[in-house]
């Protein structure tokens, strides 16, 4: 969209809005009031106009949503940079235009639409309504739409795209974001989230057709069009059947006395996790009653993000104690991520980090492969993947066991696309992950999937229980075998984009123009990789192997002491994140010494590179 609203003339006969004295803003206001048929969001813009809130109008109407690491994501409300009926219609029109150009058989193969349970009364905006409008745009253009008749986990959409041979799909969700947010996640025909150049080309197409077409507002088409099909039963049945491919100890699952508690965080996960446990032969996990059913207000948690740890898992941990359940599994609101907690012998709970869970999953998936592969199977054909800000533990396992490990840019869209590419070349992929509790076990879904991860961890815990081992004890064994990988991840909030830019530009021009730091406090830096600019000092040609990603900031430092630390901006929130990991060799077995060294390095990193006091950064826990 141009600087304000959109290109193209607005029919001045439609309405006359009071002038703000700013021609660009006036045009954007006109467009909004001409096109928006949602009374609530229309009134929000009218009210700002009447009250002379021109700055807020400019903020809302003079920029457009762009694709981040997880698609389009923003607060629900009025404005071209928010998620609402009109911006979803515009986005879908752009997608239609792009897909029509890319696929001659678009109208034979169709499109998948799914949604979660988010909603906001003040904007009359809900995931289901936004999904209906997404479907309406396509149905009005004679495109067959596979529209789920009820809420589904996010992984069901990429799974359905592949199963139904659709050209693409959209999931309306903001995953674990705060309740005010919603999002629009786009999947390509390969079952992975869109990457460049598709995202940029779709944005261009959106800008070319911003005025709603005839029929785009007709959400009732979902109920009346013969081109609409409900894929729910087929996809659910096929998904549960495919899950069995990664079930290796069904007889143990049937017999186990272990109990599991599951919380679905007021989201979509309850029914589907129950079915997954059944597919593996388990008794159903015990649900947390207060969090079992969808609730767009997420009324029992401060934020609906299971990654925040023990504070948000309070209800599930107390229920587990009452029920004598040793393991808690928590799916986030759209069930694509998984948190796990285990009660230790001293009665305390250990909430595993994403990196720790990945060590367990990596060990498990490789052990099961080794146990079940054919005699002529070649370990060199086997792959595991992780995003570059995630733990290097899979790299350590791969080096020792002989399989391949690859890194991608942050965001599961990069993993999904790379996995599809490897599969097409005859490779076998066992597992992939990102540190923010996103796991892909097997390759039925080319995206992170909390439903399958929940039942795989339950089978792992059951198997280990038969050997008198806990998950935590096994984790220690893994680290002792392959080397301790101790990581810490956190973030600072920064609501001022120029400050963020200044912090990263300083690192690129540290002691002199175009020179990166050689030291961080007392710690020697061996290598620097900057994927924002494409620089990597460890490569002979100094060019990064990972694709350049100019739209976000990300610099990785490799230290002489074995630490790797990355500073990056979030694709969806006003955060500067840091990821630091001590990658030790198996002979370095004193965990306390390694943790102390990591902590000191993080302190140096924050003090020397982020300078929170000088830059007004807000610490995560504040």
């Amino acid at each position: 969209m141009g600087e304000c609203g959109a290109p193209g003339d607005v029919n001045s006969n439609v309405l006359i809005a009071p002038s703000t004295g700013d021609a660009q803003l006036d045009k954007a206001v006109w467009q909004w009031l001409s096109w928006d048929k949602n009374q609530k969001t229309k009134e929000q813009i009218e009210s700002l106009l009447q009250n002379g809130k021109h700055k807020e109008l400019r903020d809302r109407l003079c920029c457009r949503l762009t694709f981040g690491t997880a698609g389009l994501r923003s607060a629900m409300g009025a404005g071209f940079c928010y998620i609402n009926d009109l911006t979803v219609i515009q986005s879908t029109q752009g997608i239609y235009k792009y897909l029509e150009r890319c696929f001659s058989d678009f109208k034979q193969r169709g499109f998948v639409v799914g949604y979660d349970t988010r909603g906001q009364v003040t904007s009359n905006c809900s995931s289901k309504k936004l999904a209906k409008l997404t479907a309406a745009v396509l149905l009005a253009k004679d495109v067959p739409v596979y529209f789920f008749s009820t809420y589904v986990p996010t992984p069901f959409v990429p799974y359905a795209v592949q199963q139904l041979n659709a050209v693409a799909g959209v999931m309306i969700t903001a995953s674990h974001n705060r309740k005010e947010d919603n999002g629009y996640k786009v999947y390509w025909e390969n079952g992975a989230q869109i990457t460049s150049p598709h995202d940029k080309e779709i944005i261009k197409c959106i800008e070319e057709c911003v005025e709603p077409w005839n029929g785009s507002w007709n959400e009732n088409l979902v109920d009346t069009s013969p081109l609409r099909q409900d894929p729910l039963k087929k996809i659910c049945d096929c998904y549960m059947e495919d899950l069995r491919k990664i079930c290796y100890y069904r007889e143990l699952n049937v017999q186990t006395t272990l109990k599991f508690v599951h919380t679905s965080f007021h989201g979509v996960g309850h029914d589907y996790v129950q079915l997954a446990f059944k597919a593996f032969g388990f008794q159903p996990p015990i649900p947390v009653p207060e969090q079992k059913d969808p609730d767009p207000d997420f009324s029992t948690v401060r934020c609906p993000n299971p990654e925040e740890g023990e504070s948000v898992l309070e209800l599930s941990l107390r229920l587990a104690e009452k029920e004598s359940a040793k393991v808690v599994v928590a799916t986030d609101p759209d069930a694509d991520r998984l948190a796990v907690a285990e009660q230790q012998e001293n009665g305390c709970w250990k909430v595993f980090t994403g990196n720790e869970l990945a060590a367990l999953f990596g060990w498990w998936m490789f052990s099961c492969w080794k146990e079940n592969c054919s005699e002529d199977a070649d370990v060199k054909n086997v792959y595991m993947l992780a995003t570059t800000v995630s733990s290097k533990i899979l790299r350590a396992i791969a080096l020792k066991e002989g399989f391949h490990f690859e890194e991608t840019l942050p965001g599961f869209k990069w993993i999904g696309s790379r996995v599809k590419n490897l599969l097409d070349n005859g490779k076998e992929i066992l597992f992939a992950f990102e540190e923010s509790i996103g796991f892909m076990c097997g390759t039925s879904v080319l995206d992170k999937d909390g439903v399958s991860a929940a039942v795989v961890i339950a089978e792992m815990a059951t198997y280990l229980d038969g050997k008198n081992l806990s998950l935590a004890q096994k984790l220690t064994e893994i680290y002792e075998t392959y080397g301790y990988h101790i990581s810490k991840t956190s973030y600072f909030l920064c609501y001022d984009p120029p400050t963020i830019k200044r912090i990263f530009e300083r690192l690129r021009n540290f002691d002199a123009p175009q020179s990166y730091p050689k030291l961080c406090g007392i710690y020697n830096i061996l290598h620097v990789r900057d994927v924002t600019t494409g620089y990597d000092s460890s490569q002979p040609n100094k060019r990064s192997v990972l694709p350049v990603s100019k739209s976000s900031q990300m610099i990785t430092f490799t230290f002489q002491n074995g630490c790797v630390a990355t500073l990056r901006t979030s694709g969806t929130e006003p955060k500067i994140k840091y990821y630091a990991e001590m990658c030790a060799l198996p002979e370095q077995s004193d965990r306390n010494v390694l943790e102390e060294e990591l902590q000191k390095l993080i302190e140096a990193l924050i003090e020397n590179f982020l300078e929170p006091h000088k830059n007004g950064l807000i610490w995560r826990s504040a």
Side-chain angles (χ1 to χ4, degrees):
M1 185 170 276
E3 195 195 334
C4 267
D9 295 323
V10 175
N11 181 348
S12 55
N13 298 324
V14 176
L15 55 86
I16 297 173
S19 172
T20 64
D22 176 334
Q24 286 180 315
L25 180 55
D26 285 349
K27 181 177 172 183
V29 170
W30 266 23
Q31 289 174 327
W32 188 273
L33 298 180
S34 307
W35 298 339
D36 188 13
K37 291 188 182 179
N38 177 328
Q39 212 46 48
K40 293 270 181 83
T41 45
K42 195 170 185 173
E43 282 167 7
Q44 285 174 25
I45 296 300
E46 284 169 343
S47 168
L48 291 170
L49 191 62
Q50 282 155 12
N51 294 319
K53 300 278 181 72
H54 295 171
K55 184 189 180 302
E56 190 174 342
L57 277 173
R58 175 166 269 284
D59 290 344
R60 283 175 175 267
L61 296 173
C62 292
C63 61
R64 166 163 289 292
L65 293 166
T66 55
F67 286 97
T69 49
L72 304 172
R73 205 177 273 187
S74 184
M76 290 178 272
F80 291 116
C81 63
Y82 284 73
I83 293 281
N84 51 63
D85 296 3
L86 180 53
T87 54
V88 160
I89 285 171
Q90 292 176 322
S91 301
T92 310
Q93 290 181 172
I95 282 172
Y96 169 80
K97 193 167 181 179
Y98 184 58
L99 291 174
E100 194 182 34
R101 191 193 301 164
C102 294
F103 297 99
S104 58
D105 55 356
F106 182 19
K107 290 184 178 177
Q108 284 76 54
R109 290 169 61 188
F111 191 94
V112 177
V113 180
Y115 53 92
D116 69 9
T117 54
R118 286 175 174 264
Q120 186 184 66
V121 176
T122 52
S123 302
N124 185 22
C125 191
S126 70
S127 293
K128 184 168 189 176
K129 186 184 181 200
L130 297 175
K132 282 184 162 189
L133 290 167
T134 301
V137 171
L138 299 163
L139 291 167
K141 289 287 185 186
D142 300 322
V143 175
V145 174
Y146 297 100
F147 181 89
F148 284 99
S149 55
T150 188
Y151 54 81
V152 289
T154 289
F156 273 35
V157 170
Y159 181 74
V161 168
Q162 285 201 291
Q163 285 290 314
L164 302 167
N165 192 33
V167 298
V170 159
M171 176 72 186
I172 307 290
T173 179
S175 190
H176 56 282
N177 274 37
R178 60 197 191 126
K179 68 179 180 183
E180 291 82 7
D181 291 355
N182 216 326
Y184 187 94
K185 225 172 191 181
V186 185
Y187 291 91
W188 200 243
E189 65 167 344
N190 62 1
Q193 286 177 59
I194 57 164
T195 54
S196 206
H198 299 311
D199 50 1
K200 292 175 181 63
E201 292 301 317
I202 289 169
I203 291 289
K204 274 190 213 160
C205 288
I206 293 169
E207 289 171 356
E208 288 164 17
C209 45
V210 286
E211 184 167 356
W213 302 330
N214 288 339
S216 287
W217 280 99
N218 185 5
E219 62 184 273
N220 295 329
L221 277 176
V222 160
D223 304 311
T224 58
S225 171
L227 288 171
R228 181 265 173 144
Q229 288 182 56
D230 175 13
L232 182 66
K233 186 177 185 321
K234 178 182 176 174
I235 292 305
C236 197
D237 290 349
C238 289
Y239 174 91
M240 296 303 161
E241 191 55 43
D242 268 349
L243 254 192
R244 294 166 194 258
K245 293 176 187 169
I246 50 172
C247 175
Y248 297 101
Y249 294 95
R250 191 183 169 83
E251 65 290 348
L252 293 182
N253 304 343
V254 171
Q255 293 161 12
T256 187
T257 55
L258 270 190
K259 288 201 253 176
F260 301 91
V261 160
H262 170 236
T263 173
S264 46
F265 266 84
H266 301 293
V268 305
H270 171 74
D271 295 341
Y272 303 100
V273 170
Q274 295 268 315
L275 287 170
F277 269 67
K278 189 179 172 188
F280 265 50
F282 283 111
Q283 290 296 307
I286 302 159
V288 177
E290 303 93 327
Q291 297 175 335
K292 171 173 84 75
D293 299 320
D295 170 13
D297 291 324
F298 303 109
S299 51
T300 67
V301 286
R302 185 176 49 83
C303 72
N305 185 355
E307 202 185 353
E308 296 289 332
E310 202 158 338
S311 60
V312 293
L313 294 172
E314 181 71 24
L315 284 173
S316 42
L317 301 183
R318 299 298 78 82
L319 177 64
E321 286 165 2
K322 189 178 141 207
E323 296 281 354
S324 302
K326 289 278 186 278
V327 178
V328 167
V329 290
T331 46
D332 69 336
D334 69 329
D336 67 347
R337 307 195 317 158
L338 179 80
V340 179
E342 180 186 56
Q343 194 172 31
Q344 306 303 292
E345 282 175 1
N346 62 4
C348 294
W349 286 89
K350 174 172 174 59
V351 181
F352 294 90
T353 66
N355 286 330
E356 288 172 335
L357 288 172
L360 286 163
F361 278 121
W363 158 77
W364 176 253
M365 296 304 285
F366 183 70
S367 300
C368 292
W369 176 84
K370 215 158 60 169
E371 193 75 19
N372 294 279
C373 66
S374 59
E375 277 180 29
D376 60 346
D378 184 1
V379 73
K380 290 185 171 56
N381 204 44
V382 170
Y383 281 72
M384 290 194 197
L385 292 87
T387 60
T388 187
V389 294
S390 303
S391 172
K392 314 294 179 205
I393 184 62
L394 297 185
R395 182 180 67 185
I397 299 173
L399 281 169
K400 195 156 185 170
E401 301 295 349
F403 63 85
H404 287 274
F405 168 70
E406 279 195 14
E407 282 188 340
T408 70
L409 287 175
F412 236 90
K413 61 185 183 181
W414 299 105
I415 286 180
S417 296
R418 181 60 184 147
V419 167
K420 184 69 173 80
N421 184 261
L422 288 167
L423 287 171
D424 289 347
N425 284 289
K427 307 301 181 190
E428 194 171 356
I429 294 84
L430 304 183
F431 175 66
F433 87 104
E434 61 182 3
E435 55 73 42
S436 52
I437 59 172
F439 310 106
M440 187 190 98
C441 301
T443 52
S444 291
V445 176
L446 300 188
D447 200 10
K448 55 185 180 285
D449 180 359
V451 178
S452 59
V455 75
V456 169
I457 206 86
E459 182 170 78
M460 192 194 308
T462 299
Y463 172 86
L464 290 170
D465 186 57
K467 310 266 184 211
N468 291 319
L469 280 173
S470 65
L471 292 167
Q473 286 166 334
K474 185 66 213 181
L475 181 64
T476 301
E477 276 188 15
I478 293 166
Y479 285 145
E480 285 170 354
T481 306
Y482 300 106
Y484 275 98
H485 283 62
I486 301 160
S487 50
K488 287 203 174 167
T489 300
S490 194
Y491 58 80
F492 289 88
L493 291 164
C494 182
Y495 296 96
D496 182 47
T499 298
I500 293 176
K501 193 168 192 307
R502 193 170 65 245
I503 288 168
F504 282 89
E505 283 308 312
R506 176 176 165 259
L507 294 172
R508 295 183 180 108
N509 304 277
F510 201 72
D511 298 317
Q514 294 184 311
S515 78
Y516 293 86
K518 295 174 179 60
L519 287 168
C520 178
I522 59 165
Y523 297 99
N524 280 325
I525 295 170
L526 276 184
H527 298 298
V528 178
R529 183 184 62 202
D530 183 347
V531 296
T532 310
T533 63
Y535 172 79
D536 186 346
S537 68
S538 72
Q539 296 298 317
N541 62 359
K542 301 287 187 267
R543 302 305 298 162
S544 170
V545 175
L546 293 175
V548 176
S549 180
K550 288 181 179 156
S551 59
S552 61
Q553 302 281 359
M554 188 168 103
I555 304 178
T556 300
F557 303 94
T558 302
F559 293 90
Q560 205 160 7
N561 66 357
C563 270
V564 179
T566 296
L567 299 175
R568 72 178 277 252
T569 49
S570 166
T572 55
E573 296 158 295
K575 293 174 177 176
I576 301 176
K577 296 182 172 183
Y578 69 77
Y579 308 78
E581 181 171 44
M582 173 62 79
C583 307
L585 298 167
E587 55 267 25
Q588 295 172 282
S589 57
D590 191 330
R591 187 177 179 123
N592 292 336
V593 169
L594 296 169
E595 281 180 347
E596 204 175 302
E597 178 87 343
L598 178 65
Q599 189 52 43
K600 284 180 184 165
L601 188 135
I602 289 170
E603 286 163 12
L605 190 79
I606 291 167
E607 187 186 325
N608 292 284
F609 290 175
L610 293 180
E611 303 179 306
H613 299 299
K614 180 180 163 187
N615 290 312
L617 307 181
I618 304 161
W619 179 247
R620 167 187 179 167
S621 56

